[in-house]
Amino acid sequence: MATVMKGRGEIARLDREVAEGFLRTMMLIRHFEERSLELFTKGELIGMCHVSVGQEAVAVGVCSELRGDDYVASTHRGHGHSIAKGADIGKMFAELLGREAGYCKGRGGSMHMADVGAGFLGCNGIVGAGIPIAVGAGLSIKLRKTDQISVVFFGDGATNIGAFHEALNMASAFNLPVLFVCEDNMYALSTKTGDMSGAKCNADKGTAYCMRSRVIDGMDVYAVRDATRELISAIRAGEGPAFLDCKTYRYYGHSKSDTRPYRTKEEEAEWRSRDCITTLADKLTAAKLATAEEIEAVEADAARQIEESIEWARQSPFTNPEEVSKYVFAE
Amino acid sequence: MREITYRQAITEAMDEEMARDERVILMGEDVGLFGGAMACSKGLYEKYGPERVIDTPLAETAIIGGALGCALTGMRPIAEIMFIDFTGICFDQIVNQAAKVRYMLGGQVEVPMVIRTQGGAGRSYAAQHSQSWESLFAHFPGLKIVMPATPYDAKGLLKSAIRENNPVMYIEHKALYNNKGNVPDEEYLVPIGKADIKREGEDVTVVAHSRTALMALEAAERLEVESGIDVEVIDLRTISPMDEETIYESVRKTGRLVCFEEGHRNVGIASEVSARVTENCFDYLDAPIMRVAAKDVPIPCATELEREVIPNPDWLVTAVRKVLGEREKVPAAVGYTSCV
Ligand SMILES: Cc1ncc(C[n+]2csc(CCOP(=O)(O)OP(=O)(O)O)c2C)c(N)n1
Ligand SMILES: [Mg+2]
């Protein structure tokens, strides 16, 4: 059995600067996602757009422990990972709005957001497909003999696909520096995690491949950070891959058209009451580390940054149809 | 006659066949209470229960392999793969297992299974959710491939596919689900392996399928109104095995052919139709055959770029004029300069 860890985000451990950083990044992601949805509803943003509202603590807690040269591979729900890894928000909006200034020059859109230069290997439209790629990055790290690590985010649903199992097995067999981060938001589209696997929890699948595996409250950014810190230090010490199973929740539907007939309003309210942003803000004020006004100021600042980024993206030119064949092959 | 949508046609076909034969089951991701990602199985779970409308784990290999195992042992499964792009994951189960098992085993088994999936572009879903992979699957003997363009064909072909004792890939088009059309009140089937002449004409034959069949009708109207050109539109309906005779007969009449598809131009269905007509109707041809297809570029996300890659009725209009000898400057976008 994987070790289930209690959230250890006690107030005493909160250091104001770190906490404010967490709060700020989580708020940036929240605003980015909420505004993306609005743009989507208005038709300014088209295609697909899977938002991660509710799950911000996982992206932020994990990425806060990464170095700039570490790698991250992501999923169809990857805007948060991208922001937490340090991507430029203006370029992200530009991508969503089909602009030349977008990270993928408008060719990828939401599901293929990537900032490879910053180690963000990209979102992915195929569930599970990022997992073997992250293992490959881990293999490359081993062959190049650096002390980087490779991190891959994936959903509970992805733990049922073959690519996941092949990748975990290889990472384990080759003792690769890979951290597998499962964002268990309780559902793969409409199906419940527990109904779709005989395993009691996702982390048991990490244990099955003989890697250090932890189960953690994914709504608590400190709990995620602490567990990540422990696992990464083992990985960097050459002890092989590890698995982090984060229990979290997506507040909205799978995508825009999903009316969520498979879950109850009560369940949604229960998870929202444990919101990663408000919980942290409340802890900070209760410990008198910040005033409500100061927290509002952080939020206002995040909101402003998002608006400015959208405006910047809107002002930037559309893609050039004449160059549609560019980037099929390297010259 | 009643008017229903393409989506309703699919639901009705499954419903009627499940009522008719209790060996018919539906399995796939979110096909149960949720009713399917494209909402094609709405109501079936309530009617037939979780043993016949089965929500599977997110595991395409297990879905297709599981359906195949069922088919080999007395069931008649319909397996849904949410996007044809995801058949990459279960390619082995489709082409190495389902397609070949009967032949490899010397005819010991029948494989009564349907793989229902959906493809096509036009929604800015980008490179992994917009593809047209029919030509890939058409390469393999042992698979039948059907692609309806209208609600009438959608219902009749799916019912035939479910009754077929061979693996059938039934490929829907994501842009057609809300299209409406007439279907008979009484039961009917559309035979697999039979193309449909959707518009009769004398001057030029256009062979298309799925959404391009509808685009061809639109282009044909315009050509008639604008230039009095009389286009015959053949909707393949079944990609494999292909109804060659209907095509040849038409080309013998018109002497001109444009092949029109949404898949990439390289090694596509249009290429196949063109090759067969060249081999069999060369003496009847009055002009080189032209292909109008998607550019050989992964489908981009941004609207302006996607529009540049996916064929549209304008491209077809230009190509038809060209095979009729109207000397027009062909826009580079059409991408068939090699035919000049
Ligand atoms: C191989 C594959 N199968 C199916 C899909 C369609 N699909 C996209 S996301 C999704 C659910 C994924 O669930 P999970 O892994 O738990 O991630 P979540 O959406 O909950 O973040 C499905 C079925 C896909 N994109 N790729
Ligand atoms: Mg999930």
Side-chain angles (χ1 to χ4, degrees):
Chain A
M1 273 290 289
T3 314
V4 179
M5 293 174 75
K6 282 255 164 56
R8 290 192 291 147
E10 295 94 28
I11 295 157
R13 297 171 53 84
L14 297 177
D15 139 338
R16 154 91 196 228
E17 212 174 300
V18 172
E20 199 181 299
F22 285 166
L23 206 52
R24 188 184 154 75
T25 313
M26 292 197 294
M27 285 169 168
L28 272 176
I29 297 173
R30 176 82 42 108
H31 281 272
F32 182 96
E33 300 286 51
E34 301 269 9
R35 289 291 280 129
S36 298
L37 267 188
E38 279 170 38
L39 296 175
F40 198 38
T41 308
K42 285 196 202 122
E44 191 173 344
L45 192 169
I46 50 156
M48 283 198 188
C49 186
H50 305 99
V51 299
S52 64
V53 177
Q55 306 182 187
E56 295 89 345
V58 180
V60 173
V62 169
C63 291
S64 71
E65 289 297 302
L66 301 182
R67 298 196 321 227
D69 65 345
D70 289 331
Y71 299 113
V72 168
S74 171
T75 66
H76 57 286
R77 202 177 299 288
H79 304 156
H81 309 140
S82 179
I83 292 172
K85 186 72 171 78
D88 180 283
I89 290 175
K91 286 187 180 179
M92 287 179 65
F93 273 118
E95 186 59 31
L96 295 186
L97 299 179
R99 309 301 164 118
E100 194 63 31
Y103 270 114
C104 310
K105 316 256 186 337
R107 282 149 180 82
S110 166
M111 272 189 300
H112 305 289
M113 196 68 74
D115 181 6
V116 178
F120 185 61
L121 299 178
C123 297
N124 210 306
I126 304 295
V127 170
I131 311 174
I133 296 171
V135 168
L139 177 60
S140 147
I141 291 168
K142 188 176 174 186
L143 298 176
R144 289 184 287 109
K145 300 186 173 47
T146 73
D147 66 343
Q148 295 161 284
I149 64 161
S150 175
V151 176
V152 57
F153 292 96
F154 49 86
D156 46 282
T159 69
N160 296 325
I161 204 159
F164 166 89
H165 293 273
E166 296 182 26
L168 261 72
N169 181 65
M170 190 159 110
S172 175
F174 293 179
N175 202 46
L176 301 177
V178 183
L179 176 64
F180 297 93
V181 183
C182 180
E183 296 180 292
D184 182 357
N185 57 11
M186 288 181 60
Y187 297 91
L189 215 171
S190 73
T191 54
K192 263 198 150 73
T193 307
D195 292 346
M196 289 297 133
S197 178
K200 287 276 177 301
C201 92
N202 309 298
D204 288 347
K205 298 177 184 177
T207 311
Y209 294 101
C210 299
M211 56 184 83
R212 213 180 238 104
S213 303
R214 301 283 180 265
V215 185
I216 201 73
D217 176 6
M219 304 302 277
D220 179 345
V221 66
Y222 275 87
V224 175
R225 199 257 334 240
D226 291 351
T228 305
R229 185 170 286 178
E230 182 223 323
L231 296 175
I232 286 183
S233 72
I235 295 171
R236 285 207 215 272
E239 291 173 28
F243 194 105
L244 183 59
D245 184 6
C246 307
K247 303 301 175 192
T248 182
Y249 203 74
R250 66 167 152 75
Y251 294 174
Y252 291 101
H254 171 76
S255 58
K256 196 180 69 173
S257 57
D258 172 13
T259 55
R260 290 120 62 206
Y262 46 84
R263 65 190 202 189
T264 63
K265 292 274 172 295
E266 291 71 35
E267 180 186 291
E268 294 184 353
E270 145 75 15
W271 279 90
R272 276 180 186 265
S273 75
R274 301 179 41 218
D275 184 64
C276 58
I277 295 177
T278 41
T279 321
L280 179 57
D282 290 351
K283 274 185 191 168
L284 277 171
T285 47
K288 304 227 180 320
L289 285 166
T291 64
E293 291 70 39
E294 285 170 324
I295 285 166
E296 273 167 33
V298 175
E299 172 126 45
D301 195 49
R304 182 193 46 77
Q305 190 183 337
I306 294 297
E307 289 321 306
E308 285 174 7
S309 303
I310 294 174
E311 255 341 284
W312 180 83
R314 279 183 178 142
Q315 301 304 324
S316 72
F318 281 99
T319 52
N320 180 0
E322 281 174 20
E323 293 186 343
V324 72
S325 301
K326 205 167 158 185
Y327 311 120
V328 177
F329 291 112
E331 295 310 319
Chain B
M1 283 292 201
R2 294 171 300 132
E3 200 179 55
I4 61 173
T5 63
Y6 186 86
R7 175 184 289 110
Q8 283 169 319
I10 291 163
T11 314
E12 281 188 10
M14 290 195 286
D15 189 3
E16 288 176 18
E17 293 305 302
M18 289 182 81
R20 177 176 173 271
D21 184 343
E22 63 180 22
R23 295 170 302 174
V24 177
I25 58 170
L26 172 65
M27 57 198 287
E29 292 159 17
D30 308 286
V31 299
L33 192 62
F34 193 69
M38 300 298 143
C40 289
S41 53
K42 280 243 152 54
L44 299 182
Y45 178 87
E46 288 83 344
K47 194 161 171 187
Y48 298 103
E51 295 210 327
R52 292 186 64 198
V53 182
I54 305 168
D55 270 335
T56 65
L58 204 166
E60 282 75 12
T61 295
I63 294 170
I64 300 301
L68 175 56
C70 282
L72 293 175
T73 55
M75 307 299 291
R76 303 185 70 84
I78 306 166
E80 180 176 310
I81 299 293
M82 208 179 276
F83 282 70
I84 198 167
D85 315 69
F86 311 159
T87 59
I89 288 155
C90 47
F91 202 64
D92 178 70
Q93 288 293 334
I94 299 174
V95 310
N96 279 331
Q97 313 301 332
K100 298 181 170 64
V101 62
R102 176 178 163 79
Y103 185 82
M104 291 188 302
L105 271 49
Q108 292 182 63
V109 292
E110 289 183 346
V111 185
M113 69 185 273
V114 179
I115 300 169
R116 264 192 56 234
T117 187
Q118 142 309 108
R123 287 269 185 277
S124 280
Y125 286 173
Q128 297 172 340
H129 285 72
S130 306
Q131 300 174 87
S132 298
W133 277 6
E134 53 270 27
S135 66
L136 250 77
F137 291 107
H139 185 67
F140 296 98
L143 274 181
K144 296 193 177 185
I145 299 161
V146 298
M147 298 187 68
T150 64
Y152 178 90
D153 290 339
K155 182 170 179 185
L157 279 170
L158 184 50
K159 284 171 68 79
S160 294
I162 295 169
R163 294 185 194 186
E164 171 78 35
N165 288 327
N166 293 291
V168 179
M169 290 207 53
Y170 178 92
I171 308 173
E172 299 152 25
H173 194 295
K174 64 172 65 63
L176 301 183
Y177 286 114
N178 295 327
N179 282 12
K180 288 189 173 156
N182 284 328
V183 297
D185 294 319
E186 62 278 4
E187 176 163 69
Y188 70 99
L189 298 170
V190 171
I192 293 176
K194 193 84 197 78
D196 184 37
I197 300 174
K198 288 246 176 334
R199 184 187 199 281
E200 288 190 25
E202 298 295 324
D203 298 335
V204 53
T205 301
V206 171
V207 175
H209 63 272
S210 189
R211 185 169 66 154
T212 54
L214 305 182
M215 288 183 178
L217 291 172
E218 192 185 320
E221 285 308 308
R222 266 177 50 197
L223 284 159
E224 163 124 69
V225 172
E226 290 170 13
S227 318
I229 295 170
D230 193 12
V231 181
E232 178 143 306
V233 176
I234 297 180
D235 174 5
L236 285 173
R237 295 198 299 197
T238 297
I239 306 299
S240 188
M242 197 177 279
D243 179 5
E244 296 173 305
E245 260 326 301
T246 301
I247 301 170
Y248 299 160
E249 214 171 289
S250 174
V251 173
R252 284 185 206 116
K253 175 175 72 175
T254 63
R256 290 178 166 83
L257 173 65
V258 179
C259 310
F260 186 30
E261 69 164 318
E262 201 177 308
H264 296 296
R265 187 161 178 271
N266 194 18
V267 201
I269 303 298
S271 312
E272 179 61 28
V273 172
S274 163
R276 291 190 194 203
V277 168
T278 308
E279 281 169 1
N280 293 284
C281 308
F282 188 73
D283 292 343
Y284 294 87
L285 286 171
D286 297 324
I289 298 167
M290 298 197 75
R291 290 173 295 160
V292 179
K295 283 211 171 114
D296 292 321
V297 170
I299 318 290
C301 182
T303 320
E304 288 71 26
L305 296 179
E306 187 185 35
R307 207 181 281 144
E308 203 61 28
V309 172
I310 302 305
N312 60 46
D314 290 345
W315 293 13
L316 181 60
V317 165
T318 310
V320 166
R321 291 191 193 285
K322 200 164 153 57
V323 296
L324 283 162
E326 293 190 24
R327 297 245 158 257
E328 260 191 305
K329 195 165 166 358
V330 180
V334 183
Y336 49 59
T337 37
S338 61
C339 298
V340 173

